[in-house]
Amino acid sequence: MADDRHSLGSSAAEPYFEPIGDSRGVPGQGVDGAGVAWEDDGGEPPAGPGFRAVARAGVEDFRGGVRSLPFWAAAAGTACATWAVVGVMVWLVGVIEEDPAGWVGGGQFTAALASLLLPTAAALLGMQWGLGGVRRIGGREEQAAAALPALIAAALRGMVFAVLVLAGLSLHAAVAGVPGSVGLYAAGIAAVEGALFGAMGAALGALVRQPAIAAAAGWLVALLLVVGTVAAAMFLVPVVRSEEPVTVALNVQRATDGTPVAYTCSRVPAGSAEVYRTERIMWLPAASPAVVLVMLVGDSGGGQQLFGWLATELQRAADGTRVPCVNGEPRSGDTAHVPLPAVGLLLQAALAGALLAGAHAAESRRRTSS
């Protein structure tokens, strides 16, 4: 991704504000990187920049970004590239006209693919913006102190990209005549993922001083979360296979597609069955932005039948209910489901929090040693 440090109409290659944590002036008085003055009787700067300084540094970096051509080239270019990938995938699959049953047609299939890929693109952009923000705001010497302002700047950039996501999906919905509610979910997830992955990128940029190594680590983490978790769950399916005793299912209630959704179990043994205990591994793909979107749209009944089917299958895998009455365990209609979207977002937030805590610890050690 291109660095967006150049302002529109300017050829200067210098950052548009001073690195956070930089101070100068007479003893006992200084100006931090966000332009906030501090005073101190002992002639030493405070332990770290305050909240106002951090927020101002992040907002200033964001404002400088939205006035730059590289930022818009990255945001609009990523959105257009995503739509191009969607077009190629639709062409390869060959879903152009309505199928005979009218279940999913070309317009709906295109909207579904775009809704899946655009939040994923927002996550990758957020990672890059977080990494780049640390270098711009902190310079070479204050990277550890720049994690939080870089997070704020990346989150604000992610909101701008979410607006582009909403505009693109809404335009497609109007032209193709498909429900536009999915676009709202996709834009919301894009904004959240931009902030979470931006936090990860900012933390990694603050922890690793070498930009190339930090970028490699950031992209590795992003790709592992986006596609690696889904691939890992698929490879682990044979590992969770087992032979389990089952009993006879009674009073079976089925959904419209024939899936058992509620039943009671008798004590009459029915032999053993091959069971894939997918509930043990479904927390892995839950961390992918695409899975979070599928579950939210599918559970909401947002007018997207394809997402509804995918969400049902993923939920069954997470609940481990593909085979009724395994070990005599009954299931009723009000049995609690595993909240996959919440699990996925919490996993992402936990990873971002752990990385930010590491960056904060690194900053504290640097200030103590200096």
Side-chain angles (χ1 to χ4, degrees):
M1 299 295 175
D3 193 354
D4 55 5
R5 68 176 63 185
H6 299 282
S7 299
L8 284 173
S10 172
S11 60
E14 296 298 324
Y16 38 81
F17 60 89
E18 296 294 335
I20 189 168
D22 180 59
S23 61
R24 45 201 171 282
V26 298
Q29 182 175 354
V31 180
D32 63 20
V36 178
W38 50 261
E39 292 188 3
D40 168 347
D41 293 337
E44 295 292 334
F51 176 76
R52 286 181 61 193
V54 168
R56 186 175 297 179
V59 172
E60 285 298 321
D61 182 68
F62 165 71
R63 290 174 60 188
V66 296
R67 292 195 298 265
S68 68
L69 287 175
F71 167 76
W72 290 106
T78 300
C80 292
T82 303
W83 279 101
V85 171
V86 169
V88 171
M89 293 177 67
V90 170
W91 178 75
L92 290 175
V93 173
V95 183
I96 304 299
E97 301 293 338
E98 292 281 347
D99 65 347
W103 183 60
V104 56
Q108 192 177 30
F109 185 68
T110 303
L113 280 178
S115 300
L116 285 174
L117 294 182
L118 285 169
T120 299
L124 299 178
L125 274 176
M127 178 65 74
Q128 180 62 28
W129 284 332
L131 289 165
V134 169
R135 296 195 297 271
R136 287 190 305 272
I137 298 172
R140 294 183 178 179
E141 302 298 330
E142 298 290 341
Q143 290 184 195
L148 289 180
L151 184 165
I152 294 172
L156 292 174
R157 283 171 165 83
M159 293 179 66
V160 173
F161 186 74
V163 173
L164 296 180
V165 170
L166 180 60
L169 289 173
S170 299
L171 179 62
H172 173 78
V175 173
V178 298
S181 56
V182 179
L184 294 173
Y185 284 95
I189 294 298
V192 172
E193 298 295 354
L196 289 174
F197 279 73
M200 298 177 206
L204 286 170
L207 281 169
V208 184
R209 298 187 68 84
Q210 293 80 7
I213 298 177
W219 280 97
L220 178 61
V221 169
L223 292 176
L224 284 175
L225 289 174
V226 169
V227 296
T229 53
V230 178
M234 294 173 62
F235 282 115
L236 287 174
V237 168
V239 177
V240 296
R241 174 192 174 279
S242 63
E243 291 286 334
E244 302 281 354
V246 296
T247 61
V248 175
L250 303 174
N251 304 319
V252 179
Q253 301 176 23
R254 299 183 181 274
T256 54
D257 60 355
T259 304
V261 295
Y263 47 82
T264 57
C265 300
S266 71
R267 297 184 178 180
V268 180
S272 61
E274 181 183 62
V275 180
Y276 289 90
R277 304 308 297 259
T278 50
E279 69 274 14
R280 298 172 182 171
I281 59 174
M282 283 304 294
W283 60 273
L284 277 169
S288 173
V291 173
V292 172
L293 177 70
V294 166
M295 296 306 302
L296 287 176
V297 176
D299 291 343
S300 70
Q304 178 55 268
Q305 292 174 298
L306 181 59
F307 280 156
W309 174 78
L310 288 173
T312 299
E313 293 301 313
L314 289 171
Q315 191 64 63
R316 289 178 61 195
D319 295 337
T321 57
R322 291 184 175 276
V323 179
C325 291
V326 176
N327 294 314
E329 297 175 0
R331 181 174 183 83
S332 62
D334 57 356
T335 301
H337 293 286
V338 177
L340 281 180
V343 170
L345 293 177
L346 284 175
L347 285 173
Q348 295 175 15
L351 178 57
L355 291 173
L356 287 171
H360 177 72
E363 179 192 2
S364 299
R365 287 194 300 269
R366 182 191 63 82
R367 291 184 178 276
T368 301
S369 61
S370 62

